[in-house]
């Protein structure tokens, strides 16, 4: 037992203390959090825009088709672009998207953290868009009709009547998407970003000792996700309390 | 058309058609009707006859395939009409109430007047409380819709529409989703409203209500108006075979 403990101590020292290797983990964690946070923002903005276009088009198609103006055709094109975006992004692996971003689209730039952030943001946007659209479509159409029959226009109906109801129902799903995003960023190492996973792997490469760094990385992710999940739980309970 | 319109007619429907699936399904197949100010019109007919579609077309919740709908002389099915302004003057009550579940009763009733008519909150709430008093629900002002019974919800839905001070009220089977013992309380509110001179168009299966309250009854079948007349003419002296058959089933 004592021998095992001594081994453990030596292993720990080798992987984290020697040459201040723990700093890699800190740097990696920093990058992971940075990428997650900013791609979350990009994803949220993109998702809201795409969901707004898609559901507005679906809900108003009949009314717009009756009097075909220029706006109708512009809207139809924008809607088609959004659909294409959803298909391509959800139909290809995030790693491939990341590599395409890094080696083709931004081939001249070597700002790897920024490129990874954009790639993950665009990826997350597609999922957020579908979560939001699902939320909007799940609201009974009678709510729309009641709003419209009182004289609210489409946007006002959305703002005062639909969105507050959607918000409650999609919030847990949306938070889960962010937890998934956090873990997905672990493939950023493919384009040379030193994120948490890559940092652990770099230590492993130096020390030829896999156990310590990889388990440490796994534990850090686990702690982050557990904290996030419990926050979501608190939020859910609070929302349930306010609705009667 | 508008010059042909009688001066006191509020709604005039001309050749209204609603087709689905490229004309295969004809929900409305050429409906002509005129509603006068202060008139209570009850629309009856078998299910699938197009009576709900007709009613919903009147405020463009259904978009007609063909035809014109003149409201106060303006064709609301035409191009470049601000339909939202027209809807403010046309209250609608739905079969399934459609109260906003995330708002209190008071908020349900004041959100439209404060947002659209730019009324102050005090003014809108005062009006709402008056109306709640009339329907006997002033003690539920701060409740949420899920805390109310079906009959209460529908009474709230009626006064919510009235908060916008509409010229016309449309009722789309307002008692069909209610337990039988709650039908009476909703019909009572509607009767009160009719006595006050509100222009009302009611789609319903309540033949007793039609006979008692309606100025005119319209019988629809297969997307057209088959017969119309006073309640006495329709119920006691039906001319068409289809109406006779329908009445034999429901009465």
């Amino acid at each position: 037992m004592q021998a095992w403990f001594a081994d453990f101590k030596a292993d720990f020292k080798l992987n984290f203390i020697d040459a201040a290797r723990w700093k890699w983990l800190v740097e990696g964690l920093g990058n992971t959090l940075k990428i997650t946070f900013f791609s979350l923002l990009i994803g949220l903005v993109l998702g809201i825009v795409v969901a707004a276009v898609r559901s507005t088009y679906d809900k108003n198609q009949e009314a717009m088709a009756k009097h075909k103006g220029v706006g109708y055709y512009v809207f139809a094109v924008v809607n088609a672009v959004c659909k294409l975006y959803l298909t391509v992004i959800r139909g290809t692996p995030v790693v491939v998207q990341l590599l395409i971003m890094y080696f083709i689209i931004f081939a001249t730039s070597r700002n790897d953290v920024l490129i990874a952030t954009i790639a993950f943001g665009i990826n997350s946007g597609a999922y957020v868009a579908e979560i939001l659209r699902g939320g909007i479509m799940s609201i009974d159409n009678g709510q729309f009709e009641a709003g419209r029959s009182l004289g609210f226009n489409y946007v006002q109906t959305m703002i005062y009547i639909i969105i507050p109801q959607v918000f409650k129902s999609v919030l847990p799903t949306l938070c889960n998407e962010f937890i998934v995003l956090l873990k997905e960023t672990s493939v950023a190492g493919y384009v040379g970003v030193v994120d948490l996973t890559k940092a652990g792997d770099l230590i492993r490469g130096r020390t030829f000792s896999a156990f310590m760094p990889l388990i440490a990385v796994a534990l850090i992710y686990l702690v982050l996700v557990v904290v996030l999940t419990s926050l979501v739980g608190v939020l859910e309970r609070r929302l349930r309390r306010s609705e009667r | 058309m508008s010059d042909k319109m009688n001066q006191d007619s509020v709604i005039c429907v001309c050749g209204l058609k609603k087709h689905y699936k490229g004309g295969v399904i004809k929900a409305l197949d050429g409906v002509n009707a005129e509603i006068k100010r202060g008139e209570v019109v009850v629309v009856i007919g078998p299910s699938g006859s197009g009576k709900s579609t007709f009613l919903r077309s009147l405020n463009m919740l259904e978009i007609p395939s063909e035809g014109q709908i003149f409201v106060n002389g303006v064709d609301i099915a035409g191009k470049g009409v601000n339909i939202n302004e027209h809807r403010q003057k046309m209250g609608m009550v739905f079969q399934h109430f459609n109260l906003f579940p995330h708002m209190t009763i008071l908020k349900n009733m004041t959100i439209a007047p404060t947002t659209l008519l730019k009324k102050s909150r005090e003014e809108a709430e005062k009006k709402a409380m008056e109306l709640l008093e009339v329907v006997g629900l002033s003690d539920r002002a701060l409740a949420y819709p899920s805390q109310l019974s079906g009959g209460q919800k529908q009474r709230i839905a009626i006064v919510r529409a009235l908060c916008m001070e509409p010229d016309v009220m449309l009722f789309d089977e307002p008692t069909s989703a209610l337990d039988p013992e709650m039908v009476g309380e909703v019909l009572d509110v509607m009767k009160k409203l009719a006595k006050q001179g509100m222009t009302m168009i009611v789609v319903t299966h309540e033949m007793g209500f039609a006979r008692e309250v309606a100025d005119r009854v319209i019988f629809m079948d297969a997307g057209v108006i088959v017969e119309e007349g006073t309640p006495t003419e329709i119920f006691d002296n039906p001319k068409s075979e289809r109406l006779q058959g329908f009445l034999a089933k429901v009465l």
Side-chain angles (χ1 to χ4, degrees):
Chain A
M1 186 65 201
Q2 237 163 9
W4 180 85
F5 191 69
D7 268 2
F8 186 88
K9 241 170 92 176
D11 209 15
F12 189 89
K13 184 167 171 294
L14 172 69
N15 280 296
F16 302 128
I17 313 294
D18 289 353
R21 294 198 177 99
W22 60 272
K23 280 187 176 166
W24 290 3
L25 287 183
V26 173
E27 187 200 338
L29 178 61
N31 278 337
T32 291
L33 292 178
K34 224 189 293 178
I35 294 172
T36 306
F37 180 74
F38 287 105
S39 54
L40 188 154
L41 288 187
I42 296 173
L44 212 51
V45 171
L46 261 178
I48 289 171
V49 171
V50 172
V53 169
R54 293 275 292 110
S55 46
T56 304
Y57 184 82
D58 286 353
K59 291 248 173 228
N60 295 305
Q61 204 176 7
E62 202 191 354
M64 289 189 300
K66 168 101 174 165
H67 307 297
K68 282 182 180 147
V70 184
Y72 173 75
Y73 293 103
V74 173
F75 211 168
V77 170
V78 174
N79 181 57
V81 170
C82 287
K83 263 186 168 168
L84 183 69
Y85 161 73
L86 294 175
T87 309
V88 170
I89 295 299
R90 297 195 305 155
T92 54
V94 65
V95 182
V96 177
Q97 290 165 21
L98 184 65
L99 292 172
I100 290 174
M101 276 287 178
Y102 188 76
F103 290 109
I104 303 175
I105 297 173
F106 293 110
T108 53
S109 165
R110 282 293 166 264
N111 191 343
D112 46 17
V113 172
L114 182 66
I115 295 170
T117 304
I118 293 172
F120 287 117
I122 290 175
N123 181 269
S124 178
Y127 293 94
V128 171
E130 286 299 274
I131 291 169
L132 293 179
R133 194 175 68 89
I136 292 169
M137 290 302 170
S138 76
I139 302 293
D140 178 20
N141 205 38
Q143 293 287 315
F144 270 98
E145 292 187 343
R148 296 306 302 271
S149 79
L150 285 169
F152 287 111
N153 64 31
Y154 177 79
V155 175
Q156 289 168 326
T157 307
M158 276 302 213
I159 291 173
Y160 294 114
I161 293 151
I162 307 302
I163 305 280
Q165 296 183 53
V166 169
F167 184 70
K168 266 184 195 172
S169 67
V170 300
L171 206 56
T173 328
L174 217 47
C175 290
N176 279 326
E177 162 61 21
F178 297 146
I179 290 172
V180 170
L181 178 64
L182 169 74
K183 289 181 292 176
E184 253 180 8
T185 59
S186 62
V187 298
Y190 268 90
V191 296
V193 176
V194 181
D195 72 319
L196 186 57
T197 307
K198 188 70 183 175
D201 202 41
L202 285 175
I203 296 175
R204 184 192 57 78
R206 288 295 162 84
T207 60
F208 299 106
S209 150
F211 180 84
M212 244 340 138
L214 294 186
I215 295 298
V217 165
L219 282 176
I220 295 171
Y221 277 116
L222 189 62
V223 168
L224 287 177
V225 171
V226 166
V227 168
L228 271 177
T229 310
S230 64
L231 286 180
V232 174
V234 170
L235 205 59
E236 261 181 80
R237 272 192 299 279
R238 178 132 346 140
L239 281 177
R240 220 175 301 146
R241 207 178 312 147
S242 76
E243 103 187 356
R244 266 169 293 191
Chain B
M1 180 64 214
S2 49
D3 48 297
K4 226 170 75 186
M5 246 169 82
N6 198 315
Q7 210 174 8
D8 60 354
S9 86
V10 187
I11 298 175
C12 196
V13 178
C14 237
L16 187 66
K17 291 185 184 180
K18 174 74 184 180
H19 295 172
Y20 294 101
K21 298 182 181 165
V24 181
I25 298 167
K26 293 173 176 159
L28 293 179
D29 202 15
V31 173
N32 300 295
E34 194 180 348
I35 316 288
K36 292 194 176 65
R37 197 169 299 283
E39 202 177 20
V40 177
V41 176
V42 171
V43 185
I44 59 171
S47 67
S49 59
K51 52 194 193 305
S52 268
T53 311
F54 167 67
L55 190 81
R56 290 159 54 81
S57 302
L58 295 181
N59 68 357
M60 296 293 282
L61 284 180
E62 296 287 345
I63 294 152
S65 314
E66 254 179 70
Q68 294 142 310
I69 301 161
F70 293 94
V71 177
N72 294 322
V74 181
D75 179 13
I76 60 167
K79 241 180 174 168
V81 175
N82 185 348
I83 188 63
N84 301 314
E85 275 173 22
H86 278 275
R87 284 176 178 152
Q88 290 178 16
K89 295 273 117 205
M90 237 188 226
M92 175 121 185
V93 176
F94 300 88
Q95 184 179 354
H96 295 288
F97 331 127
N98 298 344
L99 296 180
F100 307 133
H102 59 299
M103 298 176 187
T104 61
I105 298 310
L106 199 59
K107 186 81 182 157
N108 260 282
M109 296 173 67
T110 54
I111 177 99
T114 50
T115 319
L116 299 171
L117 304 181
K118 307 287 174 221
K119 277 192 181 182
S120 70
R121 219 188 78 186
E122 292 75 33
E123 202 185 342
E125 284 183 357
K126 189 167 160 273
K127 169 93 182 162
M129 289 310 294
E130 280 170 23
L131 285 165
L132 282 176
E133 195 75 46
V134 173
V135 296
L137 288 171
S138 44
D139 55 327
R140 308 314 307 271
L142 297 177
Y144 282 84
S146 60
Q147 298 167 315
L148 302 183
S149 73
Q152 291 175 328
K153 281 183 200 172
Q154 196 61 297
R155 282 185 278 160
I156 297 296
I158 294 171
V159 287
R160 176 178 71 179
L162 290 177
C163 277
M164 289 296 284
E165 293 166 14
D167 296 336
V168 183
M169 285 287 284
L170 309 176
F171 294 83
D172 189 4
E173 305 200 18
T175 58
S176 299
L178 295 177
D179 291 340
E181 77 267 26
M182 294 172 178
V183 170
E185 60 191 66
V186 172
L187 291 183
D188 284 343
V189 171
M190 291 167 65
K191 281 177 205 164
K192 257 187 213 170
L193 199 55
K195 273 198 199 111
Q196 287 165 11
M198 175 64 77
T199 312
M200 291 164 64
I201 305 167
V202 186
V203 171
T204 187
H205 295 289
E206 294 294 326
M207 297 303 153
F209 175 83
R211 191 189 274 274
E212 187 184 342
V213 183
D215 296 310
R216 187 150 54 98
V217 177
I218 291 177
F219 172 65
M220 285 184 74
D221 194 15
V224 292
I225 294 178
V226 178
E227 203 171 324
E228 59 182 304
T230 63
T232 323
E233 287 168 353
I234 292 289
F235 291 114
D236 300 336
N237 198 9
K239 291 181 194 71
S240 66
E241 224 168 85
R242 276 194 277 180
L243 178 53
Q244 285 162 3
F246 175 73
L247 290 176
K249 269 182 225 151
V250 297
L251 289 181

